[in-house]
mmCIF file of all heavy atoms in Angstrom:
data_model
loop_
_atom_site.group_PDB
_atom_site.id
_atom_site.type_symbol
_atom_site.label_atom_id
_atom_site.label_comp_id
_atom_site.label_asym_id
_atom_site.label_seq_id
_atom_site.Cartn_x
_atom_site.Cartn_y
_atom_site.Cartn_z
ATOM 1 N N ARG A 173 10.358 27.391 31.097
ATOM 2 C CA ARG A 173 9.943 28.467 30.236
ATOM 3 C C ARG A 173 9.916 28.011 28.784
ATOM 4 O O ARG A 173 10.879 27.317 28.354
ATOM 5 C CB ARG A 173 10.887 29.627 30.387
ATOM 6 C CG ARG A 173 10.517 30.836 29.427
ATOM 7 C CD ARG A 173 11.576 31.921 29.433
ATOM 8 N NE ARG A 173 11.236 33.018 28.517
ATOM 9 C CZ ARG A 173 12.080 33.826 27.972
ATOM 10 N NH1 ARG A 173 13.415 33.744 28.307
ATOM 11 N NH2 ARG A 173 11.718 34.737 27.118
ATOM 12 N N PHE A 174 8.862 28.286 28.083
ATOM 13 C CA PHE A 174 8.741 27.919 26.688
ATOM 14 C C PHE A 174 8.826 29.162 25.811
ATOM 15 O O PHE A 174 8.170 30.165 26.094
ATOM 16 C CB PHE A 174 7.322 27.192 26.438
ATOM 17 C CG PHE A 174 7.233 25.845 26.992
ATOM 18 C CD1 PHE A 174 6.788 25.667 28.311
ATOM 19 C CD2 PHE A 174 7.510 24.720 26.278
ATOM 20 C CE1 PHE A 174 6.689 24.384 28.824
ATOM 21 C CE2 PHE A 174 7.486 23.487 26.797
ATOM 22 C CZ PHE A 174 7.039 23.274 28.075
ATOM 23 N N VAL A 175 9.446 29.027 24.675
ATOM 24 C CA VAL A 175 9.432 30.050 23.605
ATOM 25 C C VAL A 175 9.166 29.303 22.318
ATOM 26 O O VAL A 175 9.919 28.519 21.811
ATOM 27 C CB VAL A 175 10.799 30.775 23.534
ATOM 28 C CG1 VAL A 175 10.670 31.834 22.321
ATOM 29 C CG2 VAL A 175 11.068 31.508 24.803
ATOM 30 N N PHE A 176 7.978 29.523 21.752
ATOM 31 C CA PHE A 176 7.540 28.920 20.513
ATOM 32 C C PHE A 176 7.761 29.896 19.294
ATOM 33 O O PHE A 176 8.078 31.029 19.478
ATOM 34 C CB PHE A 176 6.085 28.473 20.541
ATOM 35 C CG PHE A 176 5.876 27.313 21.572
ATOM 36 C CD1 PHE A 176 5.187 27.604 22.758
ATOM 37 C CD2 PHE A 176 6.314 26.098 21.294
ATOM 38 C CE1 PHE A 176 4.923 26.591 23.610
ATOM 39 C CE2 PHE A 176 6.123 25.077 22.145
ATOM 40 C CZ PHE A 176 5.398 25.346 23.359
ATOM 41 N N ASN A 177 7.484 29.302 18.108
ATOM 42 C CA ASN A 177 7.485 30.182 16.918
ATOM 43 C C ASN A 177 8.856 30.896 16.806
ATOM 44 O O ASN A 177 8.932 31.998 16.402
ATOM 45 C CB ASN A 177 6.342 31.204 16.963
ATOM 46 C CG ASN A 177 6.096 31.776 15.566
ATOM 47 O OD1 ASN A 177 6.393 31.155 14.601
ATOM 48 N ND2 ASN A 177 5.568 33.057 15.521
ATOM 49 N N THR A 178 9.896 30.128 17.092
ATOM 50 C CA THR A 178 11.227 30.766 17.072
ATOM 51 C C THR A 178 12.240 29.799 16.355
ATOM 52 O O THR A 178 12.156 28.587 16.553
ATOM 53 C CB THR A 178 11.752 31.019 18.502
ATOM 54 O OG1 THR A 178 13.024 31.717 18.392
ATOM 55 C CG2 THR A 178 11.979 29.715 19.220
ATOM 56 N N THR A 179 13.073 30.339 15.469
ATOM 57 C CA THR A 179 13.891 29.551 14.617
ATOM 58 C C THR A 179 15.329 29.703 15.104
ATOM 59 O O THR A 179 15.857 30.778 15.275
ATOM 60 C CB THR A 179 13.858 30.051 13.132
ATOM 61 O OG1 THR A 179 12.449 29.933 12.640
ATOM 62 C CG2 THR A 179 14.692 29.201 12.255
ATOM 63 N N VAL A 180 15.959 28.570 15.324
ATOM 64 C CA VAL A 180 17.361 28.509 15.775
ATOM 65 C C VAL A 180 18.264 28.869 14.584
ATOM 66 O O VAL A 180 18.226 28.127 13.616
ATOM 67 C CB VAL A 180 17.761 27.204 16.406
ATOM 68 C CG1 VAL A 180 19.264 27.144 16.667
ATOM 69 C CG2 VAL A 180 16.965 26.955 17.684
ATOM 70 N N SER A 181 19.102 29.867 14.668
ATOM 71 C CA SER A 181 19.882 30.246 13.545
ATOM 72 C C SER A 181 21.387 29.919 13.851
ATOM 73 O O SER A 181 22.181 29.797 12.806
ATOM 74 C CB SER A 181 19.799 31.763 13.289
ATOM 75 O OG SER A 181 20.097 32.489 14.509
ATOM 76 N N GLU A 182 21.750 29.722 15.041
ATOM 77 C CA GLU A 182 23.087 29.395 15.368
ATOM 78 C C GLU A 182 23.275 28.807 16.716
ATOM 79 O O GLU A 182 22.605 29.213 17.660
ATOM 80 C CB GLU A 182 24.015 30.681 15.265
ATOM 81 C CG GLU A 182 25.470 30.488 15.501
ATOM 82 C CD GLU A 182 26.267 31.795 15.338
ATOM 83 O OE1 GLU A 182 25.894 32.646 14.556
ATOM 84 O OE2 GLU A 182 27.192 31.860 16.175
ATOM 85 N N VAL A 183 24.125 27.834 16.861
ATOM 86 C CA VAL A 183 24.481 27.177 18.156
ATOM 87 C C VAL A 183 25.942 27.166 18.279
ATOM 88 O O VAL A 183 26.670 26.788 17.362
ATOM 89 C CB VAL A 183 23.894 25.730 18.303
ATOM 90 C CG1 VAL A 183 24.369 25.084 19.571
ATOM 91 C CG2 VAL A 183 22.378 25.713 18.188
#
Side-chain angles (χ1 to χ4, degrees):
R173 182 187 174 202
F174 288 89
V175 178
F176 292 110
N177 197 27
T178 187
T179 303
V180 173
S181 57
E182 184 180 324
V183 175

